[in-house]
Amino acid sequence: MKFPYILFLSLGLFLNGNSQDLKPQLPSLCKQYQEFFLIGAAVSPQVLKSADSTLVIDQYNSLVCENQMKPMWIQPQENVFMFKNADYVVAFAKRHNMKLRGHTLVWHNQTPGWFFKDGDKPASKELLAERMHKHIQTLVSRYKDDVYCWDVVNEAVSEEKDEYLRTSSPWYKIMGEDFIELAFRYAHEANPKAKLFYNDYNAWQPEKRDKIIRLVKSLKDKGVQVDGIGMQGHWKIGSPTKEQIETAIDMFSALGVTVQITELDVSVYQSDKDKEVKMTPELEQQQADYYQMCFDVFREKKDKVSSVTFWGAADNHTWLDNFPVRGRKNYPLLFDTKLQPKKAFNQIIKIEASPKPLPKEGA
């Protein structure tokens, strides 16, 4: 009777795939963190149509379009709206019961030039405001039942020491500071139930952090709905520090808004001048320790942090392969180029149980 059983087992393995199918299933990061905050990933239709989709379904419970909801993709020409790619991501999220972030409505980058022109002349403030209103109304209304929050304005604060807002932005050049307030008001008008965010990078740097606080406070003082601040997590091993992350989260939360880590990846390079490296075990361990520190902070601040979104699902698709140095391979995420978990995943998936409360005196 042994031979038929072995033959049956072999046949089963053949029909169901190779021996890799017998590997135990990975623990799910989003399920492990479901009592803390959402775990998200930036994706594209191409990623969701590839083998990566299984990883996305297993590990994340929130999605954001990497590019497909940016103005350049949605309205490349005036009154020509292209929703096919964004619709695909929305449908995928709905099919798998995932939350969906909207990114982004108003940004100085990846916005087509026609927005800011009137024939051969610059557009007037009134014309640009009209175009902004139509763009936001059309996009936000379309996904009213699907997108729970929006990055309304992206990267409007300046990093220049003596400059408050980014004066080089075409939005600012034409509309001044008013463009930010109008964008939030238009988004609220299009979907009063949506949570509205201001989103920016290097938000942990003290000078920029304080400018973001100034901006959000000024909007809220005017009665403008701002529900959250998105801290883009485009960081590198060792920077920002634990104290810098903690301070920024605490100071933003003190404004009465939630904080979301919106674009998390941890570069293995320290500067644009670094030559390409291989992912050695030592480098991978350094990255894992840094990720563990970050997630220790996020868990500690779970009452202030409502979502952590990685800017990509795995190292096989990361924007850092072409920015800031084109063609330099980077390894910034929790899964490697073959979709296998890295040390960082293994370290942050392990959550220490909360200590049991001490018994009351006399109990």
Side-chain angles (χ1 to χ4, degrees), residues 256-322:
V257 300
T258 188
V259 176
Q260 294 192 349
I261 309 301
T262 53
E263 303 179 25
L264 184 59
D265 45 31
V266 177
S267 174
V268 299
Y269 299 99
Q270 294 298 310
S271 77
D272 300 355
K273 297 179 181 179
D274 289 355
K275 293 183 178 179
E276 184 170 335
V277 299
K278 297 294 183 181
M279 192 61 162
T280 64
E282 293 77 16
L283 189 57
E284 186 177 349
Q285 187 61 59
Q286 291 175 30
Q287 184 186 58
D289 292 342
Y290 187 78
Y291 260 120
Q292 183 173 351
M293 178 277 290
C294 291
F295 271 78
D296 286 346
V297 172
F298 302 156
R299 289 197 305 273
E300 180 187 341
K301 307 290 183 183
K302 66 177 182 178
D303 57 329
K304 301 173 182 178
V305 175
S306 57
S307 175
V308 175
T309 297
F310 293 88
W311 206 244
D315 287 346
N316 59 334
H317 294 289
T318 169
W319 75 302
L320 291 177
D321 285 350
N322 291 297

Side-chain angles (χ1 to χ4, degrees), residues 20-236:
Q20 290 181 344
D21 294 320
L22 297 180
K23 290 182 179 179
Q25 188 174 6
L26 281 177
S28 169
L29 191 65
C30 65
K31 290 180 181 177
Q32 188 78 336
Y33 276 84
Q34 61 188 353
E35 300 302 322
F36 293 89
F37 36 71
L38 293 168
I39 297 288
V43 296
S44 66
Q46 291 72 28
V47 166
L48 299 181
K49 292 175 183 178
S50 72
D52 299 36
S53 63
T54 299
L55 178 72
V56 171
I57 294 167
D58 289 345
Q59 297 297 328
Y60 305 103
N61 54 12
S62 175
L63 298 181
V64 62
C65 289
E66 185 176 13
N67 290 300
Q68 288 73 26
M69 287 189 183
K70 292 173 181 175
M72 180 182 291
W73 291 71
I74 289 294
Q75 198 181 178
Q77 301 175 47
E78 188 162 19
N79 298 321
V80 177
F81 289 89
M82 301 180 69
F83 295 111
K84 180 180 179 180
N85 288 314
D87 283 351
Y88 189 92
V89 177
V90 171
F92 185 95
K94 290 175 70 174
R95 192 159 62 247
H96 297 287
N97 299 312
M98 295 173 162
K99 301 282 275 186
L100 194 67
R101 301 189 82 258
H103 177 81
T104 177
L105 298 175
V106 174
W107 189 22
H108 64 276
N109 202 356
Q110 294 192 43
T111 298
W114 67 260
F115 262 85
F116 310 106
K117 296 177 181 178
D118 183 5
D120 296 331
K121 303 179 299 181
S124 66
K125 180 176 181 178
E126 292 74 21
L127 177 59
L128 185 53
E130 180 183 329
R131 287 171 171 169
M132 177 202 286
H133 183 262
K134 182 172 184 178
H135 180 82
I136 291 176
Q137 182 69 36
T138 303
L139 181 55
V140 175
S141 296
R142 181 179 184 87
Y143 301 122
K144 194 172 185 177
D145 298 325
D146 306 309
V147 174
Y148 82 97
C149 74
W150 284 96
D151 291 331
V152 178
V153 176
N154 200 46
E155 302 175 5
V157 166
S158 176
E159 286 190 295
E160 299 297 324
K161 185 176 180 181
D162 299 320
E163 186 177 76
Y164 168 39
L165 298 177
R166 188 189 294 268
T167 57
S168 61
S169 164
W171 291 103
Y172 185 92
K173 285 181 177 180
I174 295 174
M175 298 182 68
E177 190 174 339
D178 291 347
F179 85 90
I180 301 173
E181 177 182 345
L182 284 176
F184 276 92
R185 292 194 183 280
Y186 293 159
H188 175 70
E189 173 192 333
N191 183 5
K193 294 182 180 179
K195 301 297 182 183
L196 307 181
F197 282 72
Y198 174 76
N199 190 54
D200 215 327
Y201 64 94
N202 289 347
W204 55 269
Q205 293 180 347
E207 286 187 359
K208 192 166 186 181
R209 176 199 68 206
D210 293 347
K211 292 175 186 178
I212 293 171
I213 290 171
R214 173 183 167 185
L215 173 62
V216 173
K217 187 177 184 304
S218 71
L219 291 169
K220 291 176 73 69
D221 287 346
K222 295 175 185 176
V224 177
Q225 178 187 333
V226 182
D227 300 292
I229 293 175
M231 288 180 63
Q232 294 183 21
H234 295 304
W235 299 338
K236 58 189 177 184

